[in-house]
């Protein structure tokens, strides 16, 4: 039997019971893949992060991410949570290289007023061409969105910085917060388009934050994710690729704030930075904070 420390962390917020909850298992060495999946299912967060010692000098730690039903390559809010806990436990700041199933990615920890900010560099930005019209119509039907509610400058397309999401830009925050999608239909579509998440967002170029959004991933066991690092990082790449926010770009960079979780009363936010070369996204970072909700132990 070994004792494992388990944390419940609210990411992308400094207020408990807001933002996006993630489990963190700090000393996960010795756990089998089946045990990791069982712990993730028991905690029932959208993702739980398991921190493992390195097996190579090329990286500092390994982190594996599990939803209640499956392992996923990378997770933004659970990365923020995992490195926040490491910073609290060790007091170490600076750059950490984490091995994930999306590659070896840097995470930067800075200290501010006896607390920590976590900057996650995400995977290689990839933005696909717009989905075909019949598929796009089925997605809108499943979400309960009419064509006239769509932003004309935002094609429905898949974008990724390590974990792909469908980008769906709409005009109205009231509609955004009233959506009641058909989760079964979205799950069926996910199997067809090989993408498990649907990020519905609005843009307001005259206020801060720029983005308000909601993210649905029922095929991964997540009906709605409160505040989603992977979705908002991918959105940054998408905005640059399709030149949607080009008037906000400065010195080959796009930086913006997002607000998510309002509809389910778990409001949180982050900042997204996108580096640009030749009008294409080349690197995406998300910056967030976190707060510990509780800590416990389990003996296995």
């Amino acid at each position: 039997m070994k004792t494992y420390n388990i944390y419940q962390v609210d990411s992308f917020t400094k207020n408990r019971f807001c933002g996006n909850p993630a489990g963190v298992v700090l000393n996960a060495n010795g756990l089998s893949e089946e045990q990791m999946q069982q712990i993730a299912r028991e905690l029932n967060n959208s993702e739980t992060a398991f921190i493992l010692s390195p097996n190579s000098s090329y990286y500092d730690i390994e982190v594996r991410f599990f939803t209640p039903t499956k392992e996923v390559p990378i997770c933004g809010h659970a990365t923020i949570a995992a490195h926040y806990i490491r910073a609290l436990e060790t007091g170490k700041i600076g750059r950490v290289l984490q091995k994930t199933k999306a590659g070896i990615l840097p995470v930067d920890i800075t200290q501010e007023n006896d607390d920590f900010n976590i900057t996650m560099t995400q995977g290689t930005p990839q933005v696909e061409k717009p989905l075909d019209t019949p598929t796009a119509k089925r997605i809108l039907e499943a979400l309960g969105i009419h064509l006239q509610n769509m932003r004309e400058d935002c094609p429905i397309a898949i974008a990724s910085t390590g974990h792909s999401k469908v980008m769906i830009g709409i005009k109205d925050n009231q509609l955004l917060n009233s959506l009641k999608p058909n989760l079964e239909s979205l799950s069926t579509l996910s199997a067809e388009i090989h993408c498990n998440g649907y990020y519905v967002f609005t843009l307001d170029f005259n206020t801060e934050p720029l983005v308000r959004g909601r993210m649905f991933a029922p095929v991964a066991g997540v009906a709605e994710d409160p505040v989603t690092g992977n979705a908002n990082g991918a959105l940054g790449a998408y905005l640059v690729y399709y030149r949607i926010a080009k008037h906000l770009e400065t010195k080959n960079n796009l930086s913006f704030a997002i607000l998510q979780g309002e509809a389910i009363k778990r409001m949180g936010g982050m900042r997204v930075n996108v580096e640009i070369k030749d009008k294409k996204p080349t690197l995406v970072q998300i910056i967030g904070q976190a707060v510990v909700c509780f800590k416990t132990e389990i003996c296995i």
Side-chain angles (χ1 to χ4, degrees), residues 72-84:
V72 293
I74 191 71
C75 172
H77 81 280
T79 293
I80 300 296
H83 289 272
Y84 185 76

Side-chain angles (χ1 to χ4, degrees), residues 181-193:
N182 184 321
L183 300 179
E184 184 177 351
S185 294
L186 290 179
S187 295
T188 300
L189 281 159
S190 288
E192 296 177 17
I193 64 176

